[in-house]
Amino acid sequence: MKIVFATGNPHKVEEIQAILKGYELIGLADIGCHEDIPETNPTIKENALQKARYVVENYGVKNCFAEDTGLEIDALNGEPGVYSARYAGPEKDADANVHKVLAKLANYSDRSAQFRTVVALIIEGEEYTFEGIIRGTIQTEKSGSGGFGYDPVFLPEGETRNFAEMSADEKNKISHRAKAVLLLKSFLENR
Ligand code: ITT
């Protein structure tokens, strides 16, 4: 089965394709979409829905899913949250975002945080959402060369290596995104 995945982030396509093995993910470029899809809502769930709806409404696509992810840091009242991609500015610079987080947390002893992903699916005109969360802590400095975004400072609960120090397979077994996508997968398989 082919399904459009509305993301401009190639890391997400790689991670999700590895989980949705029996499906062919069609990227935005393949449907002629080269624009930055608006994400203007105050919640991760609404942003995920907004991205999926945008593609269905503007590109004549019937079945589509999108996802939105945020890093939610307890001591910062859930920041950067829905602003995770642009925390340090509109350039979506992962390095600058990580440095901003480390600077803001410098004086806090509570470094607990979570990643939250919401996948929004539109299929045959109906909308569905699936959520995945992983708890962990923000480390004091970066390490590891895998993953992307905030991975070099996110240590999942119960683990000794952060997401950037794990292989893609290891991250994919436990991550927020994997949890949400497994719910999507079982929904698709059971309809
Ligand atoms: P879309 O086109 O799908 O919107 P994006 O990169 O703008 O791609 P988001 O709006 O979901 O993605 O922004 C979330 C940001 O949070 C993203 O830029 C990363 O920096 C970070 N992020 C998302 N998933 C992550 C993960 O698994 N590990 C580390 N950081 C992640």
Side-chain angles (χ1 to χ4, degrees):
M1 179 182 170
K2 292 184 179 187
I3 187 158
V4 173
F5 178 25
T7 183
N9 184 332
H11 299 287
K12 290 183 177 179
V13 180
E14 231 174 86
E15 285 193 7
I16 293 185
Q17 184 68 78
I19 299 166
L20 288 180
K21 287 200 184 76
Y23 297 80
E24 187 186 337
L25 298 189
I26 316 247
L28 289 179
D30 300 320
I31 58 165
C33 173
H34 302 284
E35 56 183 319
D36 211 7
I37 298 179
E39 297 177 52
T40 52
N41 284 283
T43 68
I44 289 170
K45 181 176 167 181
E46 281 302 315
N47 267 347
L49 280 165
Q50 182 181 18
K51 287 188 263 189
R53 285 179 192 141
Y54 188 87
V55 169
V56 167
E57 285 161 14
N58 294 286
Y59 288 88
V61 163
K62 270 184 88 179
N63 302 334
C64 166
F65 72 94
E67 70 93 91
D68 199 43
T69 295
L71 174 67
E72 300 173 334
I73 299 174
D74 296 359
L76 304 181
N77 299 315
E79 266 187 40
V82 75
Y83 306 109
S84 293
R86 296 173 177 80
Y87 198 39
E91 308 78 21
K92 290 189 168 183
D93 180 337
D95 227 36
N97 288 338
V98 168
H99 281 110
K100 182 166 177 182
V101 160
L102 293 182
K104 282 216 165 196
L105 276 183
N107 297 320
Y108 289 94
S109 54
D110 174 10
R111 303 180 70 92
S112 53
Q114 63 186 25
F115 274 117
R116 179 202 304 272
T117 290
V118 175
V119 167
L121 170 72
I122 302 180
I123 195 156
E124 282 154 23
E126 299 288 330
E127 295 181 344
Y128 306 88
T129 58
F130 310 93
E131 183 178 78
I133 288 176
I134 184 162
R135 299 279 307 161
T137 50
I138 304 297
Q139 297 173 302
T140 51
E141 53 188 58
K142 291 171 66 170
S143 56
S145 55
F148 66 100
Y150 299 93
D151 283 344
V153 293
F154 185 82
L155 180 67
E157 225 165 59
E159 300 290 334
T160 54
R161 289 168 306 152
N162 70 33
F163 268 158
E165 293 169 320
M166 294 181 183
S167 68
D169 273 0
E170 288 171 319
K171 179 184 173 190
N172 252 340
K173 282 204 176 79
I174 61 171
S175 82
H176 45 299
R177 185 167 298 102
K179 287 178 181 171
V181 172
L182 285 173
L183 292 175
L184 166 71
K185 189 175 179 220
S186 89
F187 173 84
L188 289 171
E189 284 170 358
N190 292 307
R191 6 187 329 266

